[in-house]
Amino acid sequence: MTVYSMLDLAPVPEGSTVAQALGRSARLAQHAEAHGYHRFWLAEHHNMPGIASAATAVVIGHVAAHTKTIRVGSGGIMLPNHAPLVIAEQFGTLAELYPGRIDLGLGRAPGTDMLTARALRRNLESSDNFPQDVVELLHYLDDADEGQKLRAIPGAGTHVPVWILGSSLFGAQLAAHLGLPYAFASHFAPAALDDAAEVYRQTFRPSAFLDKPYFMLAANLFAAATDAEGRKLKTSMQLAFAQLRTGKPGKLPRPIDDIDAALEPPARAMVDEALRISATGSPQSVRDQLAGLIARYQPDEIMLNGQIHDEAARLESFRIGAKAMQALNAERQAA
């Protein structure tokens, strides 16, 4: 069986506000819970008008308060932006409020442009200390030693599950070395996917956290009644990604009928490559494409992401995705 989960960036669509976007995230998480999604993650991004999850721990608390059973966490916290003790306290607090439901995914990118990174980071070399910061954070979340003078309170003894996130071999190697679960950001940076999955699995060292590798694949989902409708839903994210890569981030655009007319060939090629790990179209098309991704990469878990402008269309897309995953898992169990 392949576990299926959901990633949300709390997108702010054109014509909408941050408050409305955060309300949509809570309703989306309730929808995910009702349709069997295992976890609901939010990501840290800064200085982006189209993303409302900058204060990620705060939004996680908001979502957890509006749900009952689904795991809620970060996909991820950009650890070099923060002191490990602060993150341990934040997620320790969340774990005390919502026991057994909180995840902590960690990345080492800034989650923003360099100007904003300078405003966020203790120093611009802090990403070089990422492995040491992860180990320090794990220590804070572990049981405190007798006589330990520095503790995360809350945090100590909560054992919040920690994940390493990445889009390169660095994260794969670190996750394998520490014996942690690994999530690859193939929903927007798939270039090293094959190599990273292999490196992680081949070099994994059993630990107190895991006895064998646990690999999560991230994929985009744009599902609708027909292939044409699914492709149209995808144009919002295609446009947003093109704007981001050209230094002009904005709110999530409305979908358009002709993406070829909106993007020059080089931009279209760049977007197509970035978003190629996607399932798009009708229920049958989405099911077939998800089956293909699972067959090729053999993930233990697949995390579905889909920035769709219309809330009703987004809810329907994730409903279709859940049905597809349920059907694929049933087929595998029956085989």
Side-chain angles (χ1 to χ4, degrees), residues 217-243:
L217 171 78
N220 298 298
L221 174 69
F222 307 97
T226 68
D227 287 345
E229 290 177 70
R231 288 192 296 268
K232 183 172 181 178
L233 293 179
K234 186 177 181 179
T235 61
S236 291
M237 193 164 171
Q238 290 172 306
L239 292 169
F241 203 86
Q243 291 170 358

Side-chain angles (χ1 to χ4, degrees), residues 291-315:
L293 290 172
I294 292 167
R296 176 170 177 176
Y297 298 107
Q298 297 292 307
D300 298 287
E301 186 166 345
I302 188 164
M303 178 156 279
L304 300 175
N305 168 68
Q307 296 188 48
I308 293 172
H309 186 276
D310 178 74
E311 181 176 13
R314 193 176 192 216
L315 295 175

Side-chain angles (χ1 to χ4, degrees), residues 177-198:
H177 178 75
L178 296 176
L180 294 172
Y182 179 56
F184 191 85
S186 36
H187 61 300
F188 75 94
L193 171 57
D194 293 89
D195 291 340
E198 181 177 2

Side-chain angles (χ1 to χ4, degrees), residues 79 84 106 129-142 162 164 174 177-178 180 209:
L79 189 56
L106 301 172
N129 300 323
F130 182 65
Q132 297 94 320
D133 285 349
V134 172
V135 172
E136 181 181 345
L137 178 51
L138 288 168
H139 177 65
Y140 290 137
L141 296 172
D142 201 354
V162 171
I164 299 298
L174 180 61
H177 178 75
L178 296 176
L180 294 172
F209 310 105

Side-chain angles (χ1 to χ4, degrees), residues 73-244:
S74 62
I77 290 292
M78 302 298 107
L79 189 56
N81 295 341
H82 312 276
L85 178 61
V86 171
I87 298 304
E89 291 170 342
Q90 290 177 358
F91 279 77
T93 300
L94 289 167
E96 295 288 358
L97 289 169
Y98 308 103
R101 295 181 55 203
I102 302 300
D103 296 324
L104 175 52
L106 301 172
R108 71 179 184 124
T112 187
D113 58 86
M114 291 312 298
L115 177 66
T116 311
R118 290 187 181 92
L120 283 166
R121 293 188 169 200
R122 294 161 284 163
N123 60 74
L124 289 179
E125 288 72 45
S126 54
S127 62
D128 297 336
N129 300 323
F130 182 65
Q132 297 94 320
D133 285 349
V134 172
V135 172
E136 181 181 345
L137 178 51
L138 288 168
H139 177 65
Y140 290 137
L141 296 172
D142 201 354
D143 295 327
D145 298 325
E146 185 176 350
Q148 184 176 324
K149 293 184 177 180
L150 178 59
R151 303 184 184 188
I153 304 172
T158 57
H159 303 280
V160 175
V162 171
W163 292 65
I164 299 298
L165 315 181
S167 59
S168 70
L169 299 186
F170 180 92
Q173 292 166 336
L174 180 61
H177 178 75
L178 296 176
L180 294 172
Y182 179 56
F184 191 85
S186 36
H187 61 300
F188 75 94
L193 171 57
D194 293 89
D195 291 340
E198 181 177 2
V199 165
Y200 172 65
R201 287 168 170 148
Q202 292 299 321
T203 63
F204 180 86
R205 305 194 313 182
S207 70
F209 310 105
L210 283 177
D211 58 2
K212 61 182 180 179
Y214 192 94
F215 178 68
M216 178 191 286
L217 171 78
N220 298 298
L221 174 69
F222 307 97
T226 68
D227 287 345
E229 290 177 70
R231 288 192 296 268
K232 183 172 181 178
L233 293 179
K234 186 177 181 179
T235 61
S236 291
M237 193 164 171
Q238 290 172 306
L239 292 169
F241 203 86
Q243 291 170 358
L244 177 63

